[in-house]
Amino acid sequence: MKFYKRWIGSYQKDTAHLSLAQHGAYTLMLDIHYATERPLPRDRAAVHRLLRAFTRGERAAVDAVLDQFWTETGDGWVNPRARTVMGEARARSEQAREAAHARWATASANAGANAGAAAGAAAGAAAGATADATADATADADAMRSAMRDRRQKTEDKRQKTETETDISIPSISSDPNIEVNHALSRSPQKNGGEPRPGSGTANPPDPPVGVVAAPPSDPPRASDRAAVSGMGRSGGERVTASDPPPVSVRPAVREPSPDPAADVERVFTTWREVMGRGRARLDDKRRRLIRRALALGYGVEDLELAVRGCAATPHNMGVNDRGTRYDDLGLILRDGDHIDRFMRNARHPPRPATAADSRLAANVAAAHEAMEMDDREPGAA
């Protein structure tokens, strides 16, 4: 029991002869008895410890109260009046629980009935309002699910179109010694001024520029060579389409082993510490292994530094989120290739901070996902 009634007049009439210590012992015994709804221990020494009666006088007070107001049973010491009060409280609680169950059962039945068939009583009116609110919520959820399906379909169509027509944006080839370019298709005489080969209607490709390796003539054209290529071999970021030969394929060249791997690790860590303002951070063994593993994946020191700056340019990672927490740890940035690539892209194209409209849209999308998951679980639950 959480509480019990204490009739002051009755208590004083029955306990007027008790001493101050005996009053305290009696009150503590009643509190424990009501709170646990169990008898006190049969062993008097255990009762003494339970009531923290340490002195001889305190133990004598406990024994006197036990002898006068408590009854010893096979389970322990009980107070007759307290047992009666607890029994009445349990009966009232059970009665209230049954009444509540009956009310909720009636309300559920009324809510499922037609509002027009109600007798006009207050319970019927409340049930009709509940049915209308449920219908409105269902309609809103259906509309949101339909919008989500349309968005998924548009995203899938866009992805398929992107796979068919690839658009690659890469800085100038001549400025990056780690990129090799293969001329997979021959140029026409009208475009490059080449001379036709003997017995062939096609023109020989001109000599490749310095730093560019020409593929053997026997290499067949690939589908990726026909994709649109942006900003490659042209100044000013001019877009090159499939109709503007020569199409080229790009592949990362194999990096030469660094002459000083320890210096590379130190350089990446120093960049992260300065960009993120971690002046007190130290290069421990865990961070060394993390940076060495990222370098072993084929990324260069400049790539990892670019990923660090990309994380600094990402508002969500710098604390612009619902928790106000920064997610700029080196372990997150260099966790795997996907994280490194994403932060490198963010360095070149920084994302904009989320607006209030974006937050509302995210909340609506989460609610729609939750509603769809509930719909998916309903058939199985039935």
Side-chain angles (χ1 to χ4, degrees):
M1 294 177 60
K2 303 285 186 186
F3 71 98
Y4 63 93
K5 294 182 179 180
R6 185 184 181 97
W7 302 101
I8 300 176
S10 299
Y11 178 82
Q12 288 181 347
K13 182 178 68 173
D14 295 338
T15 62
H17 61 285
L18 297 181
S19 66
L20 182 62
Q22 291 171 347
H23 276 295
Y26 195 9
T27 300
L28 285 177
M29 294 161 71
L30 287 176
D31 289 345
I32 296 173
H33 195 29
Y34 278 115
T36 61
E37 297 189 27
R38 293 186 299 179
L40 299 179
R42 292 185 62 187
D43 185 12
R44 289 177 181 261
V47 177
H48 295 162
R49 290 192 299 270
L50 185 63
L51 299 181
R52 297 175 295 281
F54 301 124
T55 66
R56 181 180 301 175
E58 292 172 345
R59 290 194 293 269
V62 171
D63 292 338
V65 172
L66 282 176
D67 294 336
Q68 295 180 59
F69 300 100
W70 294 77
T71 302
E72 185 176 10
T73 65
D75 297 330
W77 294 89
V78 298
N79 183 275
R81 180 177 177 82
R83 301 298 290 180
T84 301
V85 172
M86 286 187 282
E88 294 173 352
R90 280 194 292 268
R92 288 193 300 270
S93 177
E94 185 64 26
Q95 184 179 2
R97 182 164 47 250
E98 293 177 356
H101 289 167
R103 286 197 304 272
W104 282 109
T106 302
S108 300
N110 292 336
N114 192 320
T130 302
D132 293 340
T134 303
D136 293 340
T138 303
D140 293 341
D142 291 340
M144 189 169 292
R145 283 194 292 269
S146 177
M148 288 294 299
R149 294 190 186 97
D150 293 342
R151 179 172 294 182
R152 287 179 181 175
Q153 185 62 39
K154 290 180 181 179
T155 302
E156 181 64 19
D157 295 341
K158 184 177 180 180
R159 185 185 64 79
Q160 294 178 358
K161 183 178 179 181
T162 303
E163 291 179 353
T164 305
E165 300 177 358
T166 307
D167 189 0
I168 309 173
S169 282
I170 301 179
S172 176
I173 296 173
S174 59
S175 63
D176 191 348
N178 295 321
I179 300 295
E180 295 181 355
V181 181
N182 292 338
H183 292 271
L185 301 178
S186 61
R187 301 181 180 181
S188 62
Q190 293 80 1
K191 291 289 184 178
N192 55 27
E195 297 181 358
R197 297 178 182 175
S200 172
T202 61
N204 293 326
D207 294 336
V210 178
V212 177
V213 181
S218 59
D219 289 348
R222 293 176 293 182
S224 61
D225 296 330
R226 301 185 182 92
V229 182
S230 172
M232 301 174 59
R234 305 247 182 138
S235 61
E238 180 183 353
R239 184 178 298 278
V240 183
T241 63
S243 60
D244 296 331
V248 294
S249 62
V250 180
R251 63 168 182 248
V254 177
R255 297 183 181 275
E256 295 294 336
S258 173
D260 193 354
D264 293 344
V265 172
E266 182 72 26
R267 176 179 166 185
V268 173
F269 176 76
T270 301
T271 300
W272 170 77
R273 184 170 59 182
E274 293 176 353
V275 171
M276 299 303 176
R278 300 290 191 90
R280 304 186 56 163
R282 295 294 179 264
L283 181 57
D284 55 11
D285 293 339
K286 180 179 179 180
R287 287 169 174 159
R288 290 182 190 276
R289 290 193 299 269
L290 183 67
I291 299 174
R292 284 199 296 265
R293 185 183 65 181
L295 293 172
L297 293 176
Y299 295 98
V301 175
E302 296 81 2
D303 297 333
L304 302 187
E305 291 179 323
L306 187 63
V308 170
R309 295 186 176 91
C311 179
T314 306
H316 179 83
N317 290 79
M318 300 308 294
V320 185
N321 51 64
D322 55 351
R323 297 185 178 181
T325 304
R326 290 182 55 160
Y327 302 101
D328 58 354
D329 189 72
L330 192 61
L332 173 66
I333 302 173
L334 306 182
R335 177 178 296 174
D336 51 34
D338 290 340
H339 282 71
I340 297 174
D341 293 341
R342 177 164 66 87
F343 287 123
M344 289 174 64
R345 287 195 301 270
N346 290 352
R348 298 188 180 98
H349 308 287
R352 63 178 178 84
T355 62
D358 295 331
S359 301
R360 290 193 298 269
L361 176 60
N364 292 337
V365 170
H369 279 298
E370 182 178 359
M372 295 177 69
E373 291 177 357
M374 292 179 61
D375 289 346
D376 293 340
R377 289 196 297 267
E378 284 180 359

